[in-house]
Amino acid sequence: MAKVLTKAKASPVADEERELLQTESRYCSHGDTVHYAETPKIFERCEGSYLYDLHGRPYLDLQMWYSAVNLGYANPAVSNALRAQLDRLPQLACQYLHREKIELAQLICESIERGFGMKGRVQFNVGGSQAIEDALKLVRKHTGRSRMLAFQGGYHGRTLGASAITSSYRYREAFGEFADRAEFIPYPYTFRTHRGDGQRTEDECIAEFERRFEHEYTGTWNPKTRRAEFGALFVEAVQGTGGYVIPPKNYFKRLAKICREHGILVVDDEIQMGFHRTGKMWAMEHFDMQPDIIVFGKALTNGLNPLSGIWAREELIHPGVFGPGSTHSTFSSNTLGTATGLAVMRILTRGDYQASVPRKGAYFLGKLRELQARHREIGEVDALGLALRMEMCEADGYTPSRRLADRMFQLGLEGDLTIGSRTLGLVLDIGGYYKNVITLAPSLEITTEEMDLAALALDQVITRARQALK
Ligand SMILES: Cc1ncc(COP(=O)(O)O)c(C=O)c1O
């Protein structure tokens, strides 16, 4: 153990760190976290693109809390909004109204109307999975169906309902029966399925989906009543935990058309890719498709007081069809979360993120391409805005290398990379079907200097990881 700790010189801070870790191992359940690092890392402070450990060492964060902190750590405008709310109306039962809830709902509805040309309403909750649960209830209420379709490689959370539509059996295996487990259909993962031939992958996935509705013997479709057994298809415009897989341009449009023809709703999970991560407020705006329900969370509050929610088309959610108490949580539209969300939405709507995110994404992707030219273990790099992927492989550039990605992750957390006169660490995240994809979600405020530094640090981490595995 304590690979990181043994490197820290003996000091009161190192003693305190050791004690905290011992206390953690005695009192903290590991059930609510992923404990991915060999030694859990304790951070003390954060600012902009950086986290700082107990020793004051900086770590350039390239994943920003799985894209929950799009506007950078300790963003002053967002923190000030939270502080102001704390001083004015920090608590209020959700059955009463407050200004921020109403204005935030309006801003979200307006942005969806601008992006997709649809009218609807918003309701809030406190976490991504809980909002997914609310979307499931809405679909069930509207369609009378409890079975869903979702994607292989998709991730929608770990509450019981969200686990049932998340493709990893690993998350369900130990927890009994999931009667409403979704049926998981393939996602066009171009690099893995056809090594570059995107069109064929898209066509094959669409054809496979269409075949479900050819006749009654597919098991889920009645041509006489023209009803399917499924209430909705849950989609991520760019698969998050699945490894930032970006589908072909027309894929969702074609898929949604088939869903419409067969009475299946489309739920767009924007929890990880929403709020300008991809350069548009909603990632699905890139794909020219109109979802029926949109689910959001994470970056809505820039990682401050939790808030999530769903938007749905008016006919699905107006009070006449989805009345009071259809879903409820004590904290659902809490004042601190809505005030923070309102500040974030104002920043995102008034800023030039439509232009700056694609520009920065292209620059960062260029840096990743340079790395790919130097390291044959990088099988693929790709990006949509500032959602970037770097797929780590064996020397053949194709066989997935989980151990290389793992080593890079650990080396980043050791905090002793040297770039010129600077010593720093790197916070990375790993996703993908084979757990071999470095998924990069830097701050939308990342500077060119920070992207240059990130490329140098990644170069060093890959080189060191390769050497360590020899
Ligand atoms: C696409 C997607 N949906 C749902 C969730 C679940 O959100 P939460 O972890 O806030 O419950 C996540 C979390 O990573 C996610 O990325």
Side-chain angles (χ1 to χ4, degrees):
M1 119 148 203
K3 218 171 175 29
V4 178
L5 290 180
T6 49
K7 288 199 164 190
K9 291 197 187 93
S11 69
V13 177
D15 290 344
E16 187 201 0
E17 189 174 28
R18 199 170 295 110
E19 265 172 42
L20 280 170
L21 286 173
Q22 276 163 6
T23 309
E24 188 269 353
S25 71
R26 166 68 187 81
Y27 291 109
C28 293
S29 159
H30 289 188
D32 64 349
T33 177
V34 290
H35 262 257
Y36 204 68
E38 282 170 8
T39 303
K41 190 88 203 159
I42 303 175
F43 289 106
E44 173 92 323
R45 196 167 71 75
C46 59
E47 194 179 353
S49 288
Y50 287 92
L51 289 170
Y52 296 85
D53 68 12
L54 291 174
H55 307 270
R57 281 180 301 218
Y59 295 72
L60 180 58
D61 194 332
L62 297 181
Q63 59 97 35
M64 301 306 281
W65 197 357
Y66 325 122
S67 191
V69 193
N70 283 0
L71 298 175
Y73 287 116
N75 182 297
V78 185
S79 299
N80 285 341
L82 180 59
R83 265 184 221 111
Q85 191 68 29
L86 204 51
D87 289 341
R88 201 164 46 75
L89 183 68
Q91 292 116 327
L92 183 70
C94 294
Q95 74 188 90
Y96 306 113
L97 290 175
H98 61 285
R99 185 183 293 117
E100 292 75 14
K101 169 188 171 168
I102 301 167
E103 290 177 358
L104 176 59
Q106 181 185 11
L107 278 193
I108 294 173
C109 286
E110 285 173 354
S111 93
I112 289 171
E113 203 170 332
R114 268 195 309 277
F116 298 97
M118 301 182 297
K119 288 193 191 303
R121 290 170 192 259
V122 157
Q123 67 171 52
F124 295 105
N125 209 322
V126 279
S129 304
Q130 288 87 338
I132 289 285
E133 298 282 338
D134 290 351
L136 283 166
K137 283 180 95 174
L138 189 56
V139 171
R140 282 170 171 239
K141 180 96 196 284
H142 184 74
T143 65
R145 298 276 175 273
S146 53
R147 290 203 64 200
M148 306 294 151
L149 288 162
F151 281 108
Q152 291 168 20
Y155 181 88
H156 302 286
R158 299 208 200 181
T159 54
L160 288 175
S163 300
I165 59 165
T166 289
S167 56
S168 305
Y169 173 52
R170 191 162 67 84
Y171 302 145
R172 293 189 299 275
E173 189 178 8
F175 303 102
E177 190 72 17
F178 283 77
D180 295 322
R181 166 198 174 288
E183 200 155 315
F184 298 104
I185 63 174
Y187 195 84
Y189 181 179
T190 309
F191 174 65
R192 285 276 151 219
T193 40
H194 289 286
R195 302 195 75 166
D197 183 355
Q199 190 52 45
R200 191 146 53 98
T201 312
E202 176 185 342
D203 286 349
E204 280 177 7
C205 287
I206 293 287
E208 196 174 320
F209 191 55
E210 263 174 336
R211 277 198 292 276
R212 287 179 171 277
F213 309 104
E214 248 172 41
H215 49 70
E216 74 176 80
Y217 298 104
T218 58
T220 51
W221 166 246
N222 182 350
K224 286 197 180 140
T225 58
R226 295 202 57 79
R227 292 198 68 178
E229 204 176 3
F230 305 107
L233 168 66
F234 280 72
V235 307
E236 291 165 87
V238 173
Q239 287 201 325
T241 308
Y244 284 22
V245 186
I246 304 162
K249 186 91 185 139
N250 289 317
Y251 180 63
F252 288 121
K253 202 172 157 178
R254 295 173 71 186
L255 207 63
K257 182 169 175 289
I258 302 170
C259 285
R260 294 261 133 75
E261 287 165 2
H262 298 91
I264 299 169
L265 299 175
V266 180
V267 182
D268 171 20
D269 180 343
E270 295 271 353
I271 291 169
Q272 187 156 164
M273 291 296 153
F275 303 105
H276 274 300
R277 167 57 51 202
T278 64
K280 294 193 186 282
M281 182 70 85
W282 310 104
M284 195 54 83
E285 288 179 57
H286 290 279
F287 298 97
D288 193 22
M289 186 272 264
Q290 290 183 312
D292 299 290
I293 298 170
I294 296 176
V295 190
F296 48 84
K298 289 195 200 288
L300 171 58
T301 58
N302 205 40
L304 291 184
N305 209 71
L307 194 74
S308 63
I310 61 173
W311 169 96
R313 285 195 285 112
E314 178 68 7
E315 57 268 38
L316 303 184
I317 203 170
H318 73 80
V321 293
F322 205 65
S326 296
T327 68
H328 178 261
S329 163
T330 301
F331 293 105
S332 57
S333 53
N334 66 86
T335 57
L336 297 179
T338 49
T340 314
L342 183 59
V344 168
M345 279 301 286
R346 282 181 177 150
I347 294 171
L348 289 178
T349 6
R350 289 170 191 167
D352 77 334
Y353 297 94
Q354 296 259 18
S356 68
V357 173
R359 192 177 63 240
K360 289 179 184 184
Y363 185 81
F364 207 147
L365 182 60
K367 291 273 153 197
L368 296 186
R369 290 213 170 102
E370 285 169 27
L371 285 174
Q372 189 183 24
R374 277 205 298 285
H375 300 278
R376 56 195 172 165
E377 292 85 357
I378 304 178
E380 196 204 39
V381 294
D382 202 0
L384 190 62
L386 278 167
L388 303 110
R389 75 191 310 270
M390 188 164 73
E391 181 141 0
M392 304 312 297
C393 304
E394 300 296 340
D396 63 2
Y398 191 67
T399 309
S401 179
R402 178 179 187 165
R403 56 190 198 125
L404 187 59
D406 275 348
R407 190 57 19 217
M408 288 169 63
F409 173 88
Q410 302 295 345
L411 285 167
L413 282 187
E414 290 194 4
D416 65 351
L417 304 171
T418 46
I419 314 288
S421 58
R422 303 177 70 159
T423 303
L424 77 158
L426 210 49
V427 177
L428 300 174
D429 195 29
I430 298 174
Y433 295 26
Y434 305 92
K435 300 277 172 275
N436 68 319
V437 182
I438 305 290
T439 51
L440 302 165
S443 164
L444 307 188
E445 308 290 357
I446 194 166
T447 62
T448 306
E449 191 250 324
E450 285 168 344
M451 287 191 276
D452 291 344
L453 185 63
L456 292 170
L458 282 168
D459 196 17
Q460 202 170 113
V461 151
I462 297 168
T463 307
R464 283 198 198 179
R466 194 175 43 221
Q467 279 162 2
L469 293 176
K470 263 188 188 155

